[in-house]
mmCIF file of all heavy atoms in Angstrom:
data_model
loop_
_atom_site.group_PDB
_atom_site.id
_atom_site.type_symbol
_atom_site.label_atom_id
_atom_site.label_comp_id
_atom_site.label_asym_id
_atom_site.label_seq_id
_atom_site.Cartn_x
_atom_site.Cartn_y
_atom_site.Cartn_z
ATOM 1 N N LYS A 21 38.764 -26.879 59.604
ATOM 2 C CA LYS A 21 38.990 -26.223 58.317
ATOM 3 C C LYS A 21 39.947 -27.001 57.431
ATOM 4 O O LYS A 21 39.741 -27.100 56.208
ATOM 5 C CB LYS A 21 39.532 -24.806 58.558
ATOM 6 C CG LYS A 21 39.859 -24.031 57.285
ATOM 7 C CD LYS A 21 40.371 -22.633 57.607
ATOM 8 C CE LYS A 21 40.741 -21.874 56.344
ATOM 9 N NZ LYS A 21 41.230 -20.509 56.646
ATOM 10 N N TRP A 22 40.998 -27.585 58.028
ATOM 11 C CA TRP A 22 42.048 -28.219 57.244
ATOM 12 C C TRP A 22 41.881 -29.731 57.089
ATOM 13 O O TRP A 22 42.327 -30.288 56.073
ATOM 14 C CB TRP A 22 43.416 -27.925 57.859
ATOM 15 C CG TRP A 22 43.866 -26.519 57.661
ATOM 16 C CD1 TRP A 22 43.550 -25.432 58.431
ATOM 17 C CD2 TRP A 22 44.704 -26.021 56.609
ATOM 18 N NE1 TRP A 22 44.141 -24.296 57.939
ATOM 19 C CE2 TRP A 22 44.860 -24.628 56.817
ATOM 20 C CE3 TRP A 22 45.340 -26.617 55.532
ATOM 21 C CZ2 TRP A 22 45.623 -23.840 55.966
ATOM 22 C CZ3 TRP A 22 46.115 -25.825 54.688
ATOM 23 C CH2 TRP A 22 46.247 -24.447 54.910
ATOM 24 N N TYR A 23 41.271 -30.398 58.042
ATOM 25 C CA TYR A 23 41.287 -31.863 58.047
ATOM 26 C C TYR A 23 39.983 -32.522 57.598
ATOM 27 O O TYR A 23 39.951 -33.740 57.439
ATOM 28 C CB TYR A 23 41.663 -32.381 59.434
ATOM 29 C CG TYR A 23 43.151 -32.398 59.670
ATOM 30 C CD1 TYR A 23 43.847 -31.228 59.938
ATOM 31 C CD2 TYR A 23 43.880 -33.575 59.589
ATOM 32 C CE1 TYR A 23 45.214 -31.222 60.143
ATOM 33 C CE2 TYR A 23 45.252 -33.595 59.788
ATOM 34 C CZ TYR A 23 45.908 -32.410 60.065
ATOM 35 O OH TYR A 23 47.273 -32.425 60.255
ATOM 36 N N GLN A 24 38.909 -31.770 57.383
ATOM 37 C CA GLN A 24 37.639 -32.406 57.030
ATOM 38 C C GLN A 24 37.168 -32.161 55.598
ATOM 39 O O GLN A 24 36.820 -33.119 54.902
ATOM 40 C CB GLN A 24 36.553 -31.974 58.027
ATOM 41 C CG GLN A 24 36.829 -32.352 59.472
ATOM 42 C CD GLN A 24 37.059 -33.837 59.679
ATOM 43 O OE1 GLN A 24 36.523 -34.676 58.956
ATOM 44 N NE2 GLN A 24 37.864 -34.184 60.664
ATOM 45 N N PRO A 25 37.115 -30.923 55.093
ATOM 46 C CA PRO A 25 36.506 -30.708 53.769
ATOM 47 C C PRO A 25 37.157 -31.498 52.637
ATOM 48 O O PRO A 25 36.454 -31.972 51.731
ATOM 49 C CB PRO A 25 36.664 -29.200 53.556
ATOM 50 C CG PRO A 25 36.731 -28.623 54.935
ATOM 51 C CD PRO A 25 37.474 -29.638 55.744
ATOM 52 N N LEU A 26 38.484 -31.640 52.647
ATOM 53 C CA LEU A 26 39.156 -32.309 51.523
ATOM 54 C C LEU A 26 38.731 -33.749 51.350
ATOM 55 O O LEU A 26 38.930 -34.353 50.284
ATOM 56 C CB LEU A 26 40.674 -32.235 51.703
ATOM 57 C CG LEU A 26 41.335 -33.238 52.656
ATOM 58 C CD1 LEU A 26 42.820 -33.366 52.317
ATOM 59 C CD2 LEU A 26 41.162 -32.902 54.092
ATOM 60 N N ARG A 27 38.111 -34.350 52.389
ATOM 61 C CA ARG A 27 37.697 -35.753 52.280
ATOM 62 C C ARG A 27 36.585 -35.945 51.244
ATOM 63 O O ARG A 27 36.376 -37.059 50.764
ATOM 64 C CB ARG A 27 37.244 -36.273 53.650
ATOM 65 C CG ARG A 27 38.392 -36.444 54.635
ATOM 66 C CD ARG A 27 37.948 -37.222 55.861
ATOM 67 N NE ARG A 27 39.098 -37.797 56.544
ATOM 68 C CZ ARG A 27 39.553 -37.393 57.716
ATOM 69 N NH1 ARG A 27 38.964 -36.393 58.347
ATOM 70 N NH2 ARG A 27 40.593 -37.977 58.271
ATOM 71 N N ASN A 28 35.871 -34.879 50.906
ATOM 72 C CA ASN A 28 34.882 -34.981 49.826
ATOM 73 C C ASN A 28 35.520 -35.411 48.513
ATOM 74 O O ASN A 28 34.864 -36.022 47.662
ATOM 75 C CB ASN A 28 34.179 -33.639 49.617
ATOM 76 C CG ASN A 28 33.085 -33.380 50.633
ATOM 77 O OD1 ASN A 28 32.431 -34.304 51.110
ATOM 78 N ND2 ASN A 28 32.878 -32.118 50.966
ATOM 79 N N LYS A 29 36.796 -35.082 48.337
ATOM 80 C CA LYS A 29 37.468 -35.337 47.058
ATOM 81 C C LYS A 29 38.603 -36.352 47.174
ATOM 82 O O LYS A 29 38.908 -37.052 46.203
ATOM 83 C CB LYS A 29 38.030 -34.015 46.513
ATOM 84 C CG LYS A 29 38.464 -34.076 45.061
ATOM 85 C CD LYS A 29 37.290 -34.265 44.122
ATOM 86 C CE LYS A 29 37.710 -34.217 42.664
ATOM 87 N NZ LYS A 29 36.558 -34.453 41.757
ATOM 88 N N PHE A 30 39.216 -36.454 48.364
ATOM 89 C CA PHE A 30 40.441 -37.249 48.464
ATOM 90 C C PHE A 30 40.415 -38.322 49.552
ATOM 91 O O PHE A 30 41.475 -38.832 49.909
ATOM 92 C CB PHE A 30 41.638 -36.314 48.708
ATOM 93 C CG PHE A 30 41.846 -35.290 47.640
ATOM 94 C CD1 PHE A 30 41.658 -33.943 47.900
ATOM 95 C CD2 PHE A 30 42.224 -35.663 46.359
ATOM 96 C CE1 PHE A 30 41.851 -32.986 46.932
ATOM 97 C CE2 PHE A 30 42.418 -34.710 45.372
ATOM 98 C CZ PHE A 30 42.228 -33.367 45.655
ATOM 99 N N GLY A 31 39.248 -38.654 50.098
ATOM 100 C CA GLY A 31 39.284 -39.640 51.175
ATOM 101 C C GLY A 31 37.915 -40.163 51.553
ATOM 102 O O GLY A 31 37.025 -40.317 50.700
ATOM 103 N N PHE A 32 37.737 -40.427 52.834
ATOM 104 C CA PHE A 32 36.514 -41.009 53.384
ATOM 105 C C PHE A 32 35.860 -40.002 54.311
ATOM 106 O O PHE A 32 36.466 -39.581 55.298
ATOM 107 C CB PHE A 32 36.858 -42.292 54.168
ATOM 108 C CG PHE A 32 35.681 -42.967 54.799
ATOM 109 C CD1 PHE A 32 34.904 -43.854 54.068
ATOM 110 C CD2 PHE A 32 35.348 -42.721 56.126
ATOM 111 C CE1 PHE A 32 33.813 -44.489 54.653
ATOM 112 C CE2 PHE A 32 34.266 -43.359 56.720
ATOM 113 C CZ PHE A 32 33.486 -44.238 55.972
ATOM 114 N N VAL A 33 34.634 -39.600 54.001
ATOM 115 C CA VAL A 33 33.907 -38.668 54.859
ATOM 116 C C VAL A 33 33.357 -39.445 56.050
ATOM 117 O O VAL A 33 32.596 -40.394 55.885
ATOM 118 C CB VAL A 33 32.770 -37.967 54.103
ATOM 119 C CG1 VAL A 33 31.956 -37.094 55.050
ATOM 120 C CG2 VAL A 33 33.340 -37.121 52.970
ATOM 121 N N MET A 34 33.745 -39.037 57.236
ATOM 122 C CA MET A 34 33.330 -39.721 58.447
ATOM 123 C C MET A 34 32.096 -39.068 59.056
ATOM 124 O O MET A 34 31.955 -37.844 59.012
ATOM 125 C CB MET A 34 34.457 -39.702 59.492
ATOM 126 C CG MET A 34 35.726 -40.379 59.054
ATOM 127 S SD MET A 34 36.967 -40.370 60.369
ATOM 128 C CE MET A 34 38.363 -41.105 59.506
ATOM 129 N N PHE A 35 31.223 -39.898 59.609
ATOM 130 C CA PHE A 35 30.177 -39.401 60.489
ATOM 131 C C PHE A 35 30.844 -39.167 61.838
ATOM 132 O O PHE A 35 31.368 -40.099 62.452
ATOM 133 C CB PHE A 35 29.040 -40.416 60.585
ATOM 134 C CG PHE A 35 28.038 -40.125 61.674
ATOM 135 C CD1 PHE A 35 27.590 -38.826 61.913
ATOM 136 C CD2 PHE A 35 27.534 -41.147 62.458
ATOM 137 C CE1 PHE A 35 26.672 -38.561 62.919
ATOM 138 C CE2 PHE A 35 26.621 -40.901 63.460
ATOM 139 C CZ PHE A 35 26.186 -39.609 63.698
ATOM 140 N N LEU A 36 30.844 -37.937 62.305
ATOM 141 C CA LEU A 36 31.609 -37.562 63.489
ATOM 142 C C LEU A 36 30.764 -37.531 64.764
ATOM 143 O O LEU A 36 31.150 -36.950 65.773
ATOM 144 C CB LEU A 36 32.287 -36.220 63.258
ATOM 145 C CG LEU A 36 33.291 -36.254 62.094
ATOM 146 C CD1 LEU A 36 33.763 -34.866 61.731
ATOM 147 C CD2 LEU A 36 34.464 -37.157 62.408
ATOM 148 N N GLY A 37 29.598 -38.168 64.708
ATOM 149 C CA GLY A 37 28.827 -38.405 65.917
ATOM 150 C C GLY A 37 27.877 -37.303 66.322
ATOM 151 O O GLY A 37 27.066 -37.495 67.227
ATOM 152 N N HIS A 38 27.945 -36.160 65.669
ATOM 153 C CA HIS A 38 27.070 -35.048 66.015
ATOM 154 C C HIS A 38 27.060 -34.042 64.875
ATOM 155 O O HIS A 38 27.949 -34.037 64.018
ATOM 156 C CB HIS A 38 27.539 -34.365 67.303
ATOM 157 C CG HIS A 38 28.901 -33.744 67.210
ATOM 158 N ND1 HIS A 38 30.057 -34.487 67.204
ATOM 159 C CD2 HIS A 38 29.297 -32.452 67.094
ATOM 160 C CE1 HIS A 38 31.098 -33.686 67.111
ATOM 161 N NE2 HIS A 38 30.675 -32.442 67.038
ATOM 162 N N GLY A 39 26.027 -33.219 64.854
ATOM 163 C CA GLY A 39 25.939 -32.207 63.808
ATOM 164 C C GLY A 39 25.795 -32.804 62.428
ATOM 165 O O GLY A 39 26.420 -32.340 61.477
ATOM 166 N N ALA A 40 24.954 -33.858 62.292
ATOM 167 C CA ALA A 40 24.802 -34.531 61.008
ATOM 168 C C ALA A 40 23.345 -34.912 60.786
ATOM 169 O O ALA A 40 22.590 -35.120 61.737
ATOM 170 C CB ALA A 40 25.688 -35.770 60.941
ATOM 171 N N LEU A 41 22.956 -35.010 59.522
ATOM 172 C CA LEU A 41 21.621 -35.458 59.133
ATOM 173 C C LEU A 41 21.762 -36.810 58.443
ATOM 174 O O LEU A 41 22.550 -36.953 57.500
ATOM 175 C CB LEU A 41 20.970 -34.441 58.192
ATOM 176 C CG LEU A 41 19.522 -34.728 57.790
ATOM 177 C CD1 LEU A 41 18.595 -34.637 59.006
ATOM 178 C CD2 LEU A 41 19.063 -33.752 56.702
ATOM 179 N N LEU A 42 20.983 -37.803 58.898
ATOM 180 C CA LEU A 42 21.130 -39.169 58.428
ATOM 181 C C LEU A 42 19.835 -39.682 57.805
ATOM 182 O O LEU A 42 18.738 -39.274 58.192
ATOM 183 C CB LEU A 42 21.538 -40.099 59.574
ATOM 184 C CG LEU A 42 22.914 -39.862 60.203
ATOM 185 C CD1 LEU A 42 22.878 -38.739 61.227
ATOM 186 C CD2 LEU A 42 23.440 -41.131 60.860
ATOM 187 N N ARG A 43 19.987 -40.620 56.886
ATOM 188 C CA ARG A 43 18.859 -41.252 56.211
ATOM 189 C C ARG A 43 18.433 -42.486 57.006
ATOM 190 O O ARG A 43 19.223 -43.408 57.206
ATOM 191 C CB ARG A 43 19.272 -41.640 54.789
ATOM 192 C CG ARG A 43 18.115 -42.086 53.895
ATOM 193 C CD ARG A 43 18.667 -42.609 52.565
ATOM 194 N NE ARG A 43 19.426 -41.622 51.830
ATOM 195 C CZ ARG A 43 18.893 -40.735 50.995
ATOM 196 N NH1 ARG A 43 17.583 -40.711 50.816
ATOM 197 N NH2 ARG A 43 19.664 -39.877 50.345
ATOM 198 N N ARG A 44 17.187 -42.508 57.446
ATOM 199 C CA ARG A 44 16.718 -43.608 58.285
ATOM 200 C C ARG A 44 16.796 -44.968 57.586
ATOM 201 O O ARG A 44 17.127 -45.982 58.197
ATOM 202 C CB ARG A 44 15.285 -43.346 58.737
ATOM 203 C CG ARG A 44 14.742 -44.462 59.633
ATOM 204 C CD ARG A 44 13.267 -44.339 59.927
ATOM 205 N NE ARG A 44 12.816 -45.525 60.626
ATOM 206 C CZ ARG A 44 12.820 -45.670 61.954
ATOM 207 N NH1 ARG A 44 13.241 -44.686 62.721
ATOM 208 N NH2 ARG A 44 12.407 -46.795 62.515
ATOM 209 N N SER A 45 16.498 -45.012 56.283
ATOM 210 C CA SER A 45 16.510 -46.290 55.572
ATOM 211 C C SER A 45 17.889 -46.942 55.611
ATOM 212 O O SER A 45 18.007 -48.167 55.622
ATOM 213 C CB SER A 45 16.042 -46.100 54.128
ATOM 214 O OG SER A 45 16.882 -45.174 53.449
ATOM 215 N N CYS A 46 18.953 -46.126 55.631
ATOM 216 C CA CYS A 46 20.315 -46.680 55.760
ATOM 217 C C CYS A 46 20.493 -47.308 57.134
ATOM 218 O O CYS A 46 21.072 -48.396 57.261
ATOM 219 C CB CYS A 46 21.351 -45.580 55.549
ATOM 220 S SG CYS A 46 21.432 -44.949 53.877
ATOM 221 N N TRP A 47 19.998 -46.605 58.159
ATOM 222 C CA TRP A 47 20.082 -47.139 59.524
ATOM 223 C C TRP A 47 19.366 -48.482 59.608
ATOM 224 O O TRP A 47 19.850 -49.422 60.240
ATOM 225 C CB TRP A 47 19.481 -46.125 60.492
ATOM 226 C CG TRP A 47 19.382 -46.608 61.905
ATOM 227 C CD1 TRP A 47 20.354 -46.543 62.867
ATOM 228 C CD2 TRP A 47 18.249 -47.230 62.529
ATOM 229 N NE1 TRP A 47 19.902 -47.092 64.046
ATOM 230 C CE2 TRP A 47 18.620 -47.515 63.860
ATOM 231 C CE3 TRP A 47 16.971 -47.567 62.081
ATOM 232 C CZ2 TRP A 47 17.738 -48.135 64.755
ATOM 233 C CZ3 TRP A 47 16.108 -48.184 62.967
ATOM 234 C CH2 TRP A 47 16.483 -48.458 64.281
ATOM 235 N N GLU A 48 18.217 -48.588 58.966
ATOM 236 C CA GLU A 48 17.473 -49.844 58.966
ATOM 237 C C GLU A 48 18.232 -50.933 58.215
ATOM 238 O O GLU A 48 18.278 -52.101 58.647
ATOM 239 C CB GLU A 48 16.101 -49.628 58.334
ATOM 240 C CG GLU A 48 15.187 -48.727 59.144
ATOM 241 C CD GLU A 48 13.922 -48.347 58.390
ATOM 242 O OE1 GLU A 48 13.852 -48.638 57.168
ATOM 243 O OE2 GLU A 48 13.012 -47.770 59.010
ATOM 244 N N GLU A 49 18.841 -50.566 57.104
ATOM 245 C CA GLU A 49 19.512 -51.552 56.256
ATOM 246 C C GLU A 49 20.706 -52.203 56.947
ATOM 247 O O GLU A 49 20.987 -53.382 56.730
ATOM 248 C CB GLU A 49 19.944 -50.888 54.943
ATOM 249 C CG GLU A 49 20.391 -51.868 53.880
ATOM 250 C CD GLU A 49 20.518 -51.215 52.518
ATOM 251 O OE1 GLU A 49 19.812 -50.225 52.258
ATOM 252 O OE2 GLU A 49 21.333 -51.710 51.708
ATOM 253 N N VAL A 50 21.408 -51.451 57.799
ATOM 254 C CA VAL A 50 22.580 -52.013 58.489
ATOM 255 C C VAL A 50 22.237 -52.522 59.886
ATOM 256 O O VAL A 50 23.129 -52.956 60.620
ATOM 257 C CB VAL A 50 23.726 -50.976 58.572
ATOM 258 C CG1 VAL A 50 24.167 -50.571 57.181
ATOM 259 C CG2 VAL A 50 23.323 -49.753 59.399
ATOM 260 N N GLY A 51 20.972 -52.444 60.271
ATOM 261 C CA GLY A 51 20.566 -52.983 61.561
ATOM 262 C C GLY A 51 20.836 -52.082 62.736
ATOM 263 O O GLY A 51 20.937 -52.563 63.876
ATOM 264 N N GLY A 52 20.959 -50.789 62.508
ATOM 265 C CA GLY A 52 21.169 -49.848 63.603
ATOM 266 C C GLY A 52 22.628 -49.551 63.854
ATOM 267 O O GLY A 52 23.532 -50.022 63.148
ATOM 268 N N PHE A 53 22.872 -48.735 64.872
ATOM 269 C CA PHE A 53 24.235 -48.373 65.263
ATOM 270 C C PHE A 53 24.881 -49.520 66.037
ATOM 271 O O PHE A 53 24.240 -50.136 66.908
ATOM 272 C CB PHE A 53 24.237 -47.115 66.140
ATOM 273 C CG PHE A 53 23.814 -45.864 65.432
ATOM 274 C CD1 PHE A 53 22.538 -45.337 65.629
ATOM 275 C CD2 PHE A 53 24.672 -45.210 64.568
ATOM 276 C CE1 PHE A 53 22.129 -44.183 64.979
ATOM 277 C CE2 PHE A 53 24.276 -44.051 63.910
ATOM 278 C CZ PHE A 53 22.998 -43.542 64.119
#
């Protein structure tokens, strides 16, 4: 509640490894994980 939402406005939103929806074309562009 306190450490994640504010990153939309004041920081870097991290992919936290689970519970996320990703764009495949981005995965292709960077060569995978």
Side-chain angles (χ1 to χ4, degrees):
K21 178 179 178 180
W22 288 85
Y23 277 76
Q24 299 304 330
L26 80 159
R27 290 192 159 110
N28 280 328
K29 193 67 175 178
F30 301 113
F32 179 85
V33 175
M34 299 182 184
F35 169 42
L36 298 170
H38 63 286
L41 185 66
L42 295 82
R43 190 187 300 274
R44 181 189 172 89
S45 59
C46 292
W47 174 86
E48 293 171 350
E49 192 167 332
V50 299
F53 293 103

